[in-house]
Amino acid sequence: MRPFEDVVTQHGATVLKVCRAVVGANDADDAWSETFLSALRAYPDLPADANVEAWLVTIAHRRALDIGRARSRRPTPTDTAPDMPAPRADPAARDPDLWDALARLPTKQRQAVAYHHIAGLPFAEIAALLGNSPVAARRAAADGLKTLRNIYREDQMS
């Protein structure tokens, strides 16, 4: 197997072009470096008959996508802070008995209803908080609302 330095010399320009095409000039150098770091680790296991350029282009494409994804998750500086969303209305202001009714729900139902309908969290985040799946979190919220309706019905008849 030829020295890795020769591989870098022979294919470095092609890899840089791929990186520039995928993530642009600003992040291309980082993607190029990440490509060759990954390639260096895997190079000893590369079959002798492998197409080295295609192998490197595949790695470059993946590393460039990783860097692009990381860039999209970074905060973007702005001159002004965005407006804060309006606070959610306190449901107890409309119906003071709501907190009592919520307290009577089973724990997971109460939490799912509170997290989704009061705090506005999506079911994927609720699932992480409750230690279950998004489907189970959705079911707990639905069951909680059904139970709340029954509690209100019972309270109205009393």
Side-chain angles (χ1 to χ4, degrees), residues 22-92:
V22 176
V23 293
N26 290 338
D27 292 323
D29 290 338
D30 290 339
W32 186 91
S33 298
E34 291 291 326
T35 297
F36 283 106
L37 282 173
S38 296
L40 179 61
R41 289 185 203 107
Y43 187 65
D45 299 327
L46 188 67
D49 63 342
N51 181 340
V52 176
E53 185 174 48
W55 175 69
L56 286 170
V57 166
T58 301
I59 295 171
H61 174 74
R62 291 178 182 153
R63 292 301 153 254
L65 289 176
D66 290 345
I67 287 175
R69 284 185 203 112
R71 179 179 6 105
S72 71
R73 289 188 293 261
R74 279 186 242 139
T76 304
T78 61
D79 292 333
T80 59
D83 292 335
M84 294 299 293
R88 290 182 172 266
D90 183 355

Side-chain angles (χ1 to χ4, degrees), residues 97-107 110-111 148 151:
D97 297 329
L98 177 62
W99 298 124
D100 293 331
L102 276 171
R104 292 164 52 188
L105 291 177
T107 303
R110 181 178 65 250
Q111 291 170 339
L148 275 176
I151 290 171

Side-chain angles (χ1 to χ4, degrees), residues 94-144:
R94 289 190 315 255
D95 187 351
D97 297 329
L98 177 62
W99 298 124
D100 293 331
L102 276 171
R104 292 164 52 188
L105 291 177
T107 303
K108 289 228 179 187
Q109 289 180 13
R110 181 178 65 250
Q111 291 170 339
V113 167
Y115 294 152
H116 184 70
H117 295 287
I118 296 173
L121 295 178
F123 289 113
E125 290 182 28
I126 295 168
L129 290 170
L130 298 180
N132 58 18
S133 69
V135 172
R138 182 182 303 273
R139 180 79 257 160
D143 289 347

